[in-house]
Amino acid sequence: MTVTTPPAPVRTVTPATGTGKRRVTRGRLGLHAFLMVVSLAFLAPLLLAVYASLRPYEETAKYGYFSLPRHLSFDYYAKAFNDSGMGKYFVNSLIIAVPGVLLTLFLASFVAFCVTRLRIRGGLVLLMVFTAGNLLPQQVIVTPLYVLFTKINLPYWMSDSMTMYDSYWAVLSVQVAFQVGFCVFVLANFMRTIPDEIVEAARVDGAGVWTQYWNITLPLCRPALAALATLQFTWMYNDFLWALVFISDGDKLPITSALNNLRGQFFTDYNLLAAGSVIVALPTVLVFLLLQRHFIAGLTLGASKG
């Protein structure tokens, strides 16, 4: 009795799939070229500001801003920081931006949780009201808010002027009020992607509303919260309108106002001003680098869902 073994299957590897590399097509090359051009267009002002801040003004005045450098140094950065008194202005901006971001995300996340998870009556209308608030131009209520804040009294330990006007509370309240609507809209859509079974299992185990919100929902919303924190910090940190309207004391103004101290009455060294602008932009860049992984995850969530 003879036993025959079946022949081994023949494995064929085609050149197109064996290497595992993507084919380089004209469309892909065109896409990458387009993205590079757009990126350079957005980076060009920043790169030009950094380049100008490293050169003395006499050199750029003689040869032009697009000429090759003869001398590069960081002298303008030290001069810009010292001449404008940026130290106290940095603190003023952080006093407004950091609590503003935390308070905005807390209020927005709680409202979004109530709308999407508690199924409250009129939740959709409430969400529409918060979203519609973003359509209101901020400039149209400058005068009513100015009059209102001058009439709201505060204790002396909260405001030197004894009113909301000329205090951090005025700027902080306006920033939070205008940013909550956008954050509610984003977080509500994000929370709808969380499976209902997770919250229902917590309810069966006896978890209350606060536990469902703080210990279950918020940790799952970390990518969205990180993305919103980056955007909100950038917007609040860079804002200058509300501080200019509601604060009269120069020592309370945010960092964006420090750049005005670098302008002379009859002459402005734009290389020095460029150095100051780069210093002012560093905190927002640092925040983005720290939250970059969560920021990108929050922006791309759901991109691959079919």
Side-chain angles (χ1 to χ4, degrees), residues 5-33:
T5 58
V10 179
R11 299 176 60 183
T12 60
V13 180
T14 60
T17 59
T19 57
K21 296 181 179 180
R22 293 183 178 180
R23 295 181 59 187
V24 179
T25 61
R26 293 182 179 180
R28 184 173 297 276
L29 290 176
L31 176 62
H32 282 79

Side-chain angles (χ1 to χ4, degrees), residues 24 58 77 98 140 176 186 201 288:
V24 179
E58 294 77 10
Y77 287 92
V98 174
V140 300
V176 172
V186 174
F288 175 77

Side-chain angles (χ1 to χ4, degrees), residues 156-171:
Y156 69 92
W157 53 271
M158 294 182 64
S159 173
D160 297 336
S161 62
M162 306 292 290
T163 62
M164 282 196 67
Y165 177 74
D166 196 21
S167 68
Y168 299 121
W169 299 101
V171 182

Side-chain angles (χ1 to χ4, degrees), residues 16-240:
T17 59
T19 57
K21 296 181 179 180
R22 293 183 178 180
R23 295 181 59 187
V24 179
T25 61
R26 293 182 179 180
R28 184 173 297 276
L29 290 176
L31 176 62
H32 282 79
F34 173 76
L35 293 177
M36 291 178 62
V37 171
V38 173
S39 300
L40 289 176
F42 277 95
L43 290 176
L46 178 60
L47 296 177
L48 181 60
V50 174
Y51 180 56
S53 65
L54 298 175
R55 304 176 63 188
Y57 180 79
E58 294 77 10
E59 181 179 310
T60 55
K62 182 178 180 180
Y63 301 104
Y65 282 95
F66 295 98
S67 60
L68 295 177
R70 273 74 174 177
H71 177 70
L72 298 176
S73 67
F74 292 93
D75 296 340
Y76 269 138
Y77 287 92
K79 185 178 180 181
F81 188 86
N82 295 326
D83 292 355
S84 62
M86 285 188 178
K88 62 180 180 181
Y89 294 108
F90 268 124
V91 175
N92 295 340
S93 293
L94 294 179
I95 291 176
I96 297 173
V98 174
V101 171
L102 296 177
L103 187 59
T104 299
L105 294 182
F106 173 75
L107 295 177
S109 61
F110 204 79
V111 173
F113 174 79
C114 294
V115 171
T116 58
R117 293 301 172 186
L118 299 185
R119 311 295 184 184
I120 61 175
R121 181 175 299 178
L124 180 60
V125 176
L126 181 63
L127 181 60
M128 294 175 60
V129 170
F130 274 95
T131 305
N134 295 321
L135 305 178
L136 178 67
Q138 301 181 6
Q139 292 79 4
V140 300
I141 61 172
V142 168
T143 302
L145 285 178
Y146 176 85
V147 176
L148 177 65
F149 288 160
T150 56
K151 296 182 179 180
I152 297 179
N153 298 323
L154 293 178
Y156 69 92
W157 53 271
M158 294 182 64
S159 173
D160 297 336
S161 62
M162 306 292 290
T163 62
M164 282 196 67
Y165 177 74
D166 196 21
S167 68
Y168 299 121
W169 299 101
V171 182
L172 179 62
S173 60
V174 172
Q175 294 285 5
V176 172
F178 274 102
Q179 301 302 332
V180 162
F182 172 74
C183 294
V184 168
F185 175 76
V186 174
L187 289 174
N189 291 322
F190 189 95
M191 289 182 184
R192 287 194 177 96
T193 63
I194 301 175
D196 294 335
E197 291 78 7
I198 298 178
V199 179
E200 292 176 358
R203 291 173 184 169
V204 172
D205 292 338
V209 175
W210 179 259
T211 302
Q212 299 172 30
Y213 162 73
W214 188 260
N215 294 334
I216 299 175
T217 304
L218 277 191
L220 297 175
C221 295
R222 186 178 301 173
L225 292 173
L228 288 175
T230 306
L231 295 175
Q232 293 300 319
F233 180 83
T234 302
W235 292 338
M236 294 184 185
Y237 177 86
N238 291 330
D239 180 73
F240 181 62

